[in-house]
Amino acid sequence: MAIYISLQATLSRIEAACVRFQRDPAEVSLLPVSKTFPAEALREAFAAGARCFGENYVQEALDKIEALIDLRPQLQWHLIGPLQSNKTRVVAEHFDWVHSIDRLRIAERLSAQRPPELPPLNVCIQVNVSGEASKSGVAPDEAATLAQAVAALPRLSLRGVMAVPEPLDDFEAQRQPHRRVAQLYQALRAQGLALDTLSLGMSADLEAAIAEGATLVRVGSAIFGHRPRSPAAEDKS
Ligand SMILES: *Cc1c(COP(=O)(O)O)cnc(C)c1O
């Protein structure tokens, strides 16, 4: 019941932001981020209408995909955390989306390892827009080269750009990094890449992301609750 209410509240926030910033609500989708929460919580979210989940840690996600195998045909699984090359095969086999492509080698492996009976794997280029050395993502000035190379891979479908801007409290301040990602996204489209996904915005900044053009917001704690600590944080892959 609690997840039903928080999911509805999040959808209401998205809708209100669309009204406020004159966005078409049909162009903004919600990706519930379920990292660290057990499969039962995802089942509850499914009952409340969720049909996709974002996960950060490969092994944790595989366990949940297996636990929810009865729902598999109705679900889309998105990897939004960093991906190491030794995990690409299981990701290519089990996920529908990967948002965190930040180097060509990972994309090449995913394309080569995507099983032929599955549709191409949907991917986004992750851009490091706030420029912090610790964060994943390609530098903005290298994004176009990477995007063109990824778009040419046969078993991937390049859908867009993802970013995790630095957390800022102030709404107007939040809009600045979101705007830089949105401008990069539009520049890639202007180069002829058929992109439809700007993956931007989380629990604390989804309004700023929608204001700047996000088409997919990734929301965890506002739906599933507070994450006191991440049990999988030591194994970031
Ligand atoms: C955890 C996470 C989210 C969700 O964050 P919340 O603040 O809980 O909404 C979104 N995107 C990425 C990449 C994450 O790691």
Side-chain angles (χ1 to χ4, degrees):
M1 193 55 178
I3 289 177
Y4 176 84
I5 291 170
S6 55
L7 187 64
Q8 290 304 319
T10 301
L11 291 170
S12 298
R13 273 178 71 189
I14 292 170
E15 204 171 287
C18 287
V19 170
R20 182 172 163 199
F21 300 107
Q22 298 175 319
R23 297 284 316 281
D24 178 354
E27 287 176 5
V28 184
S29 62
L30 169 62
L31 176 64
V33 174
S34 44
K35 64 176 176 226
T36 77
F37 290 94
E40 301 79 72
L42 282 69
R43 215 174 262 288
E44 193 180 336
F46 179 86
R51 292 295 179 269
C52 52
F53 293 109
E55 290 280 342
N56 286 59
Y57 313 109
V58 173
Q59 189 52 53
E60 182 193 331
L62 292 175
D63 293 345
K64 289 182 218 178
I65 292 169
E66 183 58 32
L68 300 177
I69 201 73
D70 54 311
L71 305 178
R72 186 66 187 91
Q74 297 170 75
L75 285 177
Q76 298 267 304
W77 290 95
H78 295 236
L79 182 69
I80 61 172
L83 175 55
Q84 290 160 4
S85 54
N86 62 345
K87 302 275 176 69
T88 52
R89 182 174 297 280
V90 284
V91 169
E93 289 171 350
H94 293 282
F95 282 81
D96 302 289
W97 283 72
V98 174
H99 291 227
S100 48
I101 301 294
D102 63 0
R103 51 198 194 277
L104 185 58
R105 177 169 163 70
I106 294 287
E108 286 171 341
R109 290 177 64 96
L110 289 170
S111 181
Q113 294 167 343
R114 182 67 167 172
E117 67 276 13
L118 294 180
L121 181 65
N122 299 295
V123 300
C124 293
I125 303 289
Q126 182 174 356
V127 179
N128 181 356
V129 72
S130 297
E132 291 143 75
S134 60
K135 283 240 180 88
S136 340
V138 66
D141 60 356
E142 291 163 16
T145 306
L146 178 59
Q148 294 290 353
V150 170
L153 293 171
R155 299 291 292 139
L156 302 186
S157 175
L158 178 63
R159 300 292 297 271
V161 172
M162 182 272 241
V164 187
E166 63 194 302
L168 297 165
D169 290 333
D170 176 65
F171 175 75
E172 289 303 327
Q174 285 175 355
R175 288 185 70 159
Q176 305 306 320
H178 287 108
R179 185 171 307 158
R180 292 200 296 276
V181 185
Q183 285 167 346
L184 178 65
Y185 171 70
Q186 294 301 351
L188 296 178
R189 280 161 54 104
Q191 289 181 17
L193 293 169
L195 309 181
D196 62 5
T197 302
L198 181 54
S199 169
L200 202 56
M202 321 202 302
S203 294
D205 61 1
L206 71 87
E207 284 84 4
I210 289 171
E212 296 300 338
T215 68
L216 181 154
V217 293
R218 308 176 308 268
V219 179
S221 49
I223 295 172
F224 291 99
H226 183 56
R227 292 183 299 271
R229 59 181 282 277
S230 160
E234 304 85 53
D235 171 23
K236 278 273 183 187
S237 56

